[in-house]
Amino acid sequence: MSGKISPSAVGRLLIGLWLAATCAHVQAQAWTLEASIERATAVAPEMRVAEAETAARAGELKQARTWPNPMVDLRTDEKLGIEDGRGGYSLNQVSISQSIPLRRLAHQRRAAEAGLESAREEQRHRRLLVETQVARAYHALQLAAERQRVAEERLRFAEGLRPGGDRLVRYLSPLERARLDILRETARQDVAQAEGKWSEADAKFRTLLALPPDERHTTIPLAPVAAPTALSSLYKRLTAHPALRTAQQTREASRATVDVARSQRFADPTVSVFRERDFLGGARRDYSGVMLGVQIPLWNRNDGGVVRALAEVDRADALLEVQRRDLESRLRQNHVRLGRLIEQAEQYRTRLLVPARQLLELTRKGFATGEQNGLALVDASNTYFEAQARYLELLHDAWVEAAELRLAAGTSLADGTEEKP
């Protein structure tokens, strides 16, 4: 049996490797914003912090429902041995004591329940913050990819102006050749700069999503943003904002803490059941009894704790008002800015980008026939590609503003109520 590989087998192997590489390139994953958010929230350490806080508050609630443990007391002494002359030590008393939390337990449970609800709402708010952070990185990557595409388009346009090319047949003077060389070199520098910006944006995106370094991915191209929901409708939803509900539950927990502090002015009464042995009627005898222990609040009535709890309630009320005021202000500002950016982007496209494209085509044709000089062509090229870059920036800013509006309104893409890119 020969150990040589036939040429046909080598050919098939090379074709297979080429097809595999081609399929890997074609199957590069296209990330949507919603998928990126789901991936990021699944791996974000901020979400683990919020989940741990919720678990801790759940533990506090479980503990708040628990009665204090009973106490067992044993007493051994020489009393009986001395009285009957036998000597030695004897177990003379066994008692079991139980504290009775008459009022404190209910208030503690109410405070712990409010604390748990506050932690759950804070976890939702943390998800919104992560979502907004991912949206910024995602749209920055979109913008970087679009800028790279525009830079490559600009380079192809400049390369098509070479003397003797398919798009240029007229004679060029040395001055016009120099201008075209500068135009091409400027396009090459734009491509290099765009590739660097894309690498930076891609690195941040990969970090947020914890993507492996060898994974290929793309993003959906930038598109115009849909008009936002009416401001009046967003105001109605504001009462369910996680940050606002977190502040509300914190206030409820503070109010319950006041009741806890007041209930702690008196220590829990203690009921004790005991069995005791003593020397009675000339013999050792056993007897049982019940004791009730109540603390007398002569010097310590926990007044300082009550004052501190009342101050925490005032603080929680003030923070709730601050949160409501800031959310309403941010909601209005983000809504106005988003509407302005959408309108400005559309006007920029129709009034500047489209005419600049038409001007570039006319100038190129005029330059090819000798009706326009190289300076006019350079100016038209710069005008069009700079207008295209500015238009993409407006789209990017509008999408970022839409993410900020979702954060201010307390809505998420996972709710299915917002326009997705």
Side-chain angles (χ1 to χ4, degrees):
M1 180 177 179
S2 176
K4 296 182 179 180
I5 301 176
S6 64
S8 60
V10 174
R12 288 194 298 269
L13 178 61
L14 293 176
I15 293 174
L17 292 175
W18 178 80
L19 289 175
T22 303
C23 292
H25 177 75
V26 172
Q27 294 176 358
Q29 184 174 0
W31 284 95
T32 62
L33 177 57
E34 188 175 16
S36 302
I37 290 172
E38 289 301 322
R39 165 76 180 187
T41 52
V43 300
E46 295 89 344
M47 296 306 302
R48 295 204 306 271
V49 172
E51 292 168 1
E53 180 64 21
T54 302
R57 295 297 179 90
E60 289 181 2
L61 176 58
K62 182 179 180 180
Q63 186 64 28
R65 294 170 174 170
T66 306
W67 275 47
N69 292 322
M71 179 176 292
V72 178
D73 293 321
L74 304 176
R75 191 184 75 188
T76 302
D77 56 30
E78 299 176 285
K79 179 181 178 182
L80 295 181
I82 293 174
E83 289 185 351
D84 61 9
R86 298 180 185 179
Y89 288 84
S90 301
L91 179 63
N92 296 336
Q93 187 184 67
V94 177
S95 65
I96 300 177
S97 303
Q98 174 66 59
S99 298
I100 309 297
L102 295 178
R103 302 173 55 201
R104 175 178 57 84
L105 205 61
H107 300 316
Q108 284 184 174
R109 183 170 59 250
R110 187 160 59 90
E113 288 173 350
L116 177 58
E117 289 301 318
S118 176
R120 287 172 177 168
E121 294 298 333
E122 178 60 28
Q123 185 174 347
R124 288 182 55 214
H125 186 223
R126 177 59 60 182
R127 179 185 171 87
L128 285 177
L129 293 175
V130 172
E131 177 176 323
T132 305
Q133 183 182 17
V134 174
R136 294 194 193 101
Y138 182 83
H139 297 315
L141 185 60
Q142 280 184 310
L143 178 61
E146 291 295 328
R147 281 177 171 172
Q148 191 173 9
R149 178 187 61 79
V150 171
E152 291 172 354
E153 180 185 353
R154 186 174 189 174
L155 179 59
R156 287 194 299 271
F157 176 81
E159 291 290 346
L161 298 177
R162 288 182 178 276
D166 295 336
R167 303 176 61 185
L168 189 63
V169 295
R170 56 163 288 190
Y171 167 77
L172 296 178
S173 66
L175 181 59
E176 289 176 339
R177 289 176 182 271
R179 286 172 177 164
L180 294 183
D181 289 340
I182 294 175
L183 186 65
R184 282 190 292 272
E185 186 58 33
T186 301
R188 293 192 188 97
Q189 294 299 324
D190 285 347
V191 170
Q193 184 179 13
E195 290 175 350
K197 293 293 184 181
W198 184 89
S199 298
E200 295 176 7
D202 180 68
K204 185 174 183 179
F205 182 76
R206 285 180 182 273
T207 301
L208 288 177
L209 272 63
L211 298 177
D214 57 342
E215 178 178 316
R216 298 180 60 85
H217 59 267
T218 59
T219 56
I220 296 176
L222 278 172
V225 183
T229 307
L231 186 60
S232 58
S233 178
L234 293 177
Y235 271 130
K236 292 179 181 179
R237 303 181 195 172
L238 199 59
T239 55
H241 196 291
L244 196 60
R245 291 184 60 85
T246 298
Q248 291 172 342
Q249 293 299 327
T250 301
R251 181 186 62 180
E252 293 302 318
S254 299
R255 290 176 175 176
T257 303
V258 173
D259 295 332
V260 173
R262 286 172 175 166
S263 67
Q264 290 176 344
R265 286 177 168 174
F266 302 90
D268 296 335
T270 303
V271 176
S272 301
V273 179
F274 64 90
R275 181 74 174 174
E276 188 169 349
R277 175 175 294 180
D278 205 347
F279 195 80
L280 301 173
R284 296 187 178 188
R285 298 181 182 275
D286 296 335
Y287 61 94
S288 303
V290 178
M291 293 188 300
L292 176 64
V294 180
Q295 185 186 72
I296 301 176
L298 294 181
W299 299 283
N300 182 11
R301 299 189 61 191
N302 198 30
D303 292 334
V306 174
V307 172
R308 182 179 61 185
L310 288 173
E312 288 295 330
V313 172
D314 292 339
R315 178 175 177 271
D317 286 337
L319 289 177
L320 177 59
E321 292 301 319
V322 170
Q323 189 69 264
R324 183 180 289 109
R325 180 200 64 191
D326 291 347
L327 286 176
E328 291 178 354
S329 175
R330 286 172 48 198
L331 184 62
R332 179 178 294 275
Q333 292 177 12
N334 293 140
H335 193 275
V336 171
R337 281 200 294 261
L338 178 56
R340 178 179 55 81
L341 285 170
I342 293 175
E343 182 181 2
Q344 185 179 1
E346 179 59 22
Q347 292 178 355
Y348 207 92
R349 185 187 67 84
T350 57
R351 300 180 183 180
L352 185 58
L353 185 60
V354 173
R357 178 65 182 179
Q358 295 173 350
L359 176 63
L360 179 60
E361 288 298 326
L362 292 175
T363 305
R364 184 192 63 81
K365 293 179 181 178
F367 180 77
T369 59
E371 297 177 1
Q372 298 289 342
N373 57 25
L375 185 59
L377 182 62
V378 171
D379 182 67
S381 174
N382 292 337
T383 299
Y384 169 69
F385 288 107
E386 289 173 5
Q388 196 170 4
R390 176 56 183 158
Y391 175 67
L392 293 173
E393 289 177 0
L394 288 173
L395 293 182
H396 164 266
D397 294 345
W399 278 114
V400 171
E401 200 63 44
E404 295 291 343
L405 180 62
R406 290 195 298 270
L407 177 61
T411 58
S412 170
L413 287 177
D415 299 336
T417 57
E418 294 295 326
E419 185 73 16
K420 301 176 180 61

